[in-house]
Amino acid sequence: MTHMPETPLLDQVHYPSDLRKLEDRDLPQLARELRNEMIDAVSRTGGHLGAGLGVVELTIAIHNVFNTPNDRLIFDVGHQCYPHKILTGRRDRIRTLRQEDGLSGFTRRAESEYDPFGAAHSSTSISAGLGMAVAAELDKTDRRVIAVIGDGAMSAGMAYEALNNAGALDARLIVILNDNDMSIAPPTGAMSAYLARLASGRTYMGFRDFGKKLTAYLGKNVDRAITRAVEHARGYVTGGTMFEEMGFYHIGPIDGHSFDHLLPVLRNVRDHAQGPVLIHVVTQKGKGYPPAEAAADKYHGVNKFDVITGAQAKVKPNAPSYTSVFADALVQEAMLDEKIVGITAAMPNGTGLDKLQEFFPARCFDVGIAEQHAVTFAAGLAAEGFKPFAALYSTFLQRAYDQVVHDVAIQGLPVRFPIDRAGFVGADGPTHAGSFDTAFLATLPGFVVMAAADEAELKHMVRTAAAYDLGPISFRYPRGEGVGIELPERGEILQIGKGRIVKQGSKVALLSFGTRLADSLAAAEDLDAAGLPTTVADARFAKPLDHDLIRQLASHHEVLITIEEGSVGGFGSQVMQFLATEGLLDNGLKIRTLVMPDIWMEQAKPEVMNAKAGLDRAGIVQTVFKALGRSRIIEVAG
Ligand SMILES: Cc1ncc(C[n+]2csc(CCOP(=O)(O)OP(=O)(O)O)c2C)c(N)n1
């Protein structure tokens, strides 16, 4: 491609086909421009910054060498895909990232043919890539499949299940291990130490040996450029690595910011590799943006920020976040009970368990991105008389459902499940929404399932869970800040299966499960004003249900509305089941269940999502009016 020296290369690259017309020597300039473009975009939208900065060269090199989208490129998690989006026809929308009606912050099949597989939860790329590689073989199609997976994502069992299978199938799959020695937090575990040992060169061999080995494997056609690359690289790993034992041809580590290393290796693999190949690429998270490079978390996820200083916009909170209230309450209980231990799956900061880690390092376990293991590990601790708090986000607990059922619930083990990010989460969209936990936990015999209505309730639930030893117990709470209610000195132990009346009325009953209570109370004001005296109750428990409370609400009100920020099948369904079983639906009770809609709701601000779902003040009022057959849909303030 010809270009004026002063013309930004990025302006000429709309798709990878444009990129392939550039000379190799142009690529470093393209990388600089791409980095700047990404920094500017994320400074306006917020989002994942460090991971994308670390793969700028790798992304360019892959699109340069491989024939995407016919060759399939899969990013694990997908949070590092912003440079990829800019290079694949989405630059004009990159400043809409994670906004309502904008680009997703992850890869999405529906968004582009260059996103052959959607992601957001980690460690799925090798499995999906293997499926595609096998499909290509069955279809007799000459297609390469490349999975890019981080060292953090390599801590999940699923990645090994896939490697194991790929090695045995001898499939034509290219796995690029993007090793930046970071997860969100510093990585944990023996695997991370192993990768560090490989990268530190203990098992390197000289490039002559490597050249021979590569020639033997790839055929005689080894590019001369590879010799140059090897001279620059710190060395190549000798045989006998874990990946080789699993049937992969293992190349690396190579410098993931050097085109001189990336291009010849990728070209050789493209042209000659037949079976599964793993390329170990060393990168730096946050590369090329000093504030990110210097930050402890390498700017994994950021708010909007000032590009010059790197200072992130601080939204002044009105109240402490639910996560911090949980963290403080857990530390408080842990001080009084040495059997309390905490478990996080690579989210010490996100779950607030870093606070427990600070106070009781020996009683807090970051097990890596390994939710399934986290749950069964907790079950083992519980079996020995400990009081494990397995603190996971609602969305990631999904991955450990069989462990919850089989290892915890069937054995009646008292594992405590603090469930953060319950309900709509905003910019991360449907992959991260905490929608299903109530539905999938409340169906399990013997489970106690709670939801905190506000941060004081959350404190009570931490204490209640600490005190409850008869079986599994969970409590859900949302992302973001609380309502600003005064916090008790210490939480109270709640009576299991008992809700509370917050406001007494007579005609309408609003039965809320979780933090929709505030909107229920606001709606009650409007309903009172409209001549409909309204009772508001906080169920606290989806299991066991407060039968007395529900009976009373059902028999003394004309309308009963359940409200929850969760999917169908959750609290409302439990209430309906109970009412139906008891024959309480036979007396003309007008009952409605307000839940998240049965669709994958796209990213937007949580308040917008709640409004769209009809779970806000106005939505509750309208539901009551409709149930009563009133045509007047009132306008509601606030
Ligand atoms: C199943 C699952 N658990 C937790 C997360 C949250 N999460 C997102 S990115 C990330 C770290 C990934 O680290 P790595 O794979 O090394 O990628 P890097 O960000 O360092 O490039 C974590 C824990 C997730 N996306 N999926």
Side-chain angles (χ1 to χ4, degrees):
M1 178 183 276
T2 54
H3 58 86
M4 303 297 287
E6 67 275 15
T7 312
L9 291 177
L10 194 56
D11 291 356
Q12 305 172 43
V13 175
H14 306 290
Y15 287 95
S17 51
D18 304 320
L19 167 61
R20 284 173 211 134
K21 294 177 198 149
L22 298 178
E23 305 287 340
D24 287 359
R25 64 169 185 275
D26 291 331
L27 299 183
Q29 184 191 331
L30 181 69
R32 278 193 298 281
E33 293 171 10
L34 182 53
R35 231 178 219 109
N36 289 341
E37 178 74 347
M38 184 187 155
I39 292 166
D40 182 73
V42 182
S43 77
R44 293 160 201 260
T45 60
H48 289 105
L49 184 62
L53 289 176
V55 296
V56 165
E57 288 81 9
L58 182 61
T59 304
I60 291 173
I62 293 171
H63 282 301
N64 178 276
V65 169
F66 291 94
N67 185 28
T68 53
N70 183 50
D71 288 342
R72 310 294 197 221
L73 169 59
I74 305 170
F75 283 104
D76 204 276
V77 184
H79 65 311
Q80 72 291 60
C81 72
Y82 305 177
H84 161 80
K85 291 202 175 190
I86 294 171
L87 295 176
T88 53
R90 287 170 276 184
R91 184 181 176 199
D92 57 342
R93 285 173 293 154
I94 202 67
R95 285 164 187 77
T96 68
L97 265 175
R98 293 158 48 89
Q99 320 290 307
E100 192 174 353
D101 300 325
L103 290 179
S104 163
F106 302 98
T107 47
R108 285 196 64 183
R109 281 173 60 82
E111 205 174 85
S112 167
E113 59 179 337
Y114 290 89
D115 292 1
F117 202 73
H121 290 203
S122 88
S123 319
T124 61
S125 62
I126 307 179
S127 298
L130 181 57
M132 290 179 183
V134 167
E137 271 169 27
L138 293 174
D139 281 342
K140 302 196 180 2
T141 305
D142 187 26
R143 161 178 297 149
R144 307 292 185 279
V145 181
I146 308 110
V148 177
I149 181 166
D151 55 302
M154 278 298 287
S155 58
M158 205 177 157
Y160 297 91
E161 295 170 28
L163 287 177
N164 184 44
N165 193 194
L169 287 176
D170 201 29
R172 197 173 188 188
L173 173 69
I174 301 162
V175 175
I176 299 184
L177 172 58
N178 171 34
D179 180 6
N180 57 23
D181 200 27
M182 275 294 281
S183 186
I184 293 184
T188 60
M191 187 63 198
S192 146
Y194 179 63
L195 293 179
R197 267 203 314 283
L198 292 183
S200 75
R202 276 181 50 187
T203 49
Y204 291 163
M205 64 179 176
F207 81 84
R208 278 172 197 286
D209 292 343
F210 170 75
K212 271 194 236 148
K213 188 166 161 244
L214 197 65
T215 311
Y217 176 71
L218 299 176
K220 299 245 174 301
N221 219 350
V222 176
D223 197 313
R224 269 183 58 77
I226 194 133
T227 316
R228 287 201 302 277
V230 173
E231 281 166 0
H232 287 97
R234 295 162 66 197
Y236 282 79
V237 171
T238 185
T241 67
M242 192 196 98
F243 301 111
E244 298 216 317
E245 300 297 337
M246 294 182 85
F248 275 72
Y249 185 76
H250 179 176
I251 301 173
I254 63 171
D255 179 349
H257 299 301
S258 161
F259 288 109
D260 288 343
H261 293 185
L262 289 169
L263 295 173
V265 168
L266 291 177
R267 285 177 183 148
N268 272 283
V269 167
R270 174 195 65 196
D271 295 339
H272 305 296
Q274 293 304 325
V277 176
L278 183 134
I279 309 174
H280 183 174
V281 172
V282 175
T283 61
Q284 186 186 355
K285 200 161 181 170
K287 173 79 174 176
Y289 185 51
E293 289 182 10
D297 72 345
K298 309 293 177 216
Y299 276 24
H300 179 88
V302 291
N303 296 331
K304 297 176 186 182
F305 61 93
D306 181 304
V307 175
I308 307 291
T309 63
Q312 291 182 50
K314 286 227 168 20
V315 191
K316 216 169 160 256
N318 299 312
S321 70
Y322 281 97
T323 303
S324 71
V325 171
F326 159 69
D328 288 340
L330 183 63
V331 168
Q332 188 182 18
E333 296 304 324
M335 281 179 174
L336 300 165
D337 186 343
E338 61 182 19
K339 289 289 185 192
I340 289 178
V341 292
I343 296 147
T344 170
M347 312 289 286
N349 182 268
T351 58
L353 275 212
D354 49 357
K355 202 153 229 167
L356 186 71
Q357 216 160 31
E358 208 179 288
F359 281 86
F360 299 108
R363 287 160 57 189
C364 188
F365 303 90
D366 180 350
V367 301
I369 308 179
E371 289 79 7
Q372 297 152 304
H373 161 67
V375 169
T376 304
F377 173 63
L381 281 155
E384 295 294 346
F386 281 83
K387 300 182 175 178
F389 281 71
L392 300 171
Y393 289 7
S394 169
T395 191
F396 300 139
L397 180 59
Q398 286 162 200
R399 183 164 282 196
Y401 190 50
D402 185 58
Q403 286 72 9
V404 170
V405 174
H406 175 267
D407 299 331
V408 175
I410 290 178
Q411 306 195 83
L413 288 168
V415 176
R416 286 80 174 160
F417 292 97
I419 303 177
D420 202 329
R421 305 309 196 266
F424 293 118
V425 294
D428 279 335
T431 55
H432 278 56
S435 313
F436 309 111
D437 54 286
T438 308
F440 68 61
L441 294 178
T443 49
L444 302 179
F447 228 99
V448 175
V449 179
M450 303 186 278
D454 56 43
E455 57 272 40
E457 284 289 305
L458 177 56
K459 240 184 138 170
H460 299 323
M461 289 179 183
V462 174
R463 172 101 192 266
T464 305
Y468 184 76
D469 247 336
L470 300 176
I473 185 165
S474 69
F475 49 102
R476 78 192 309 254
Y477 45 98
R479 183 176 198 277
E481 63 191 39
V483 296
I485 197 168
E486 201 183 325
L487 288 172
E489 197 57 40
R490 188 181 176 196
E492 291 160 22
I493 299 177
L494 302 174
Q495 195 183 340
I496 299 296
K498 282 286 152 211
R500 62 184 175 129
I501 301 270
V502 183
K503 172 188 172 307
Q504 190 65 60
S506 53
K507 188 158 176 88
V508 175
L510 305 179
L511 177 56
S512 166
F513 180 64
T515 48
R516 291 290 95 209
L517 183 69
D519 278 62
S520 302
L521 284 165
E525 275 179 33
D526 300 331
L527 293 168
D528 283 348
L532 300 170
T534 299
T535 300
V536 180
D538 170 16
R540 279 180 171 153
F541 294 83
K543 187 169 198 155
L545 283 175
D546 187 340
H547 290 168
D548 294 342
L549 175 67
I550 295 170
R551 259 193 219 103
Q552 192 220 322
L553 296 179
S555 26
H556 294 103
H557 298 81
E558 196 177 324
V559 182
L560 171 59
I561 314 278
T562 66
I563 304 135
E564 70 200 289
E565 208 171 317
S567 71
V568 66
F571 173 69
S573 303
Q574 294 285 336
V575 172
M576 285 296 289
Q577 178 80 22
F578 170 72
L579 291 172
T581 309
E582 295 274 305
L584 290 165
L585 292 174
D586 308 347
N587 309 328
L589 174 70
K590 298 181 175 69
I591 176 158
R592 302 288 183 273
T593 54
L594 289 179
V595 292
M596 287 175 163
D598 189 22
I599 53 169
W600 301 109
M601 267 183 100
E602 297 301 334
Q603 75 232 10
K605 294 210 164 66
E607 56 272 23
V608 173
M609 297 173 89
N610 269 305
K612 279 188 183 164
L615 289 170
D616 65 345
R617 174 184 193 159
I620 296 167
V621 170
Q622 295 201 3
T623 299
V624 172
F625 270 74
K626 275 197 217 157
L628 286 167
R630 291 207 186 180
S631 57
R632 191 169 66 99
I633 305 297
I634 59 166
E635 287 295 319
V636 184

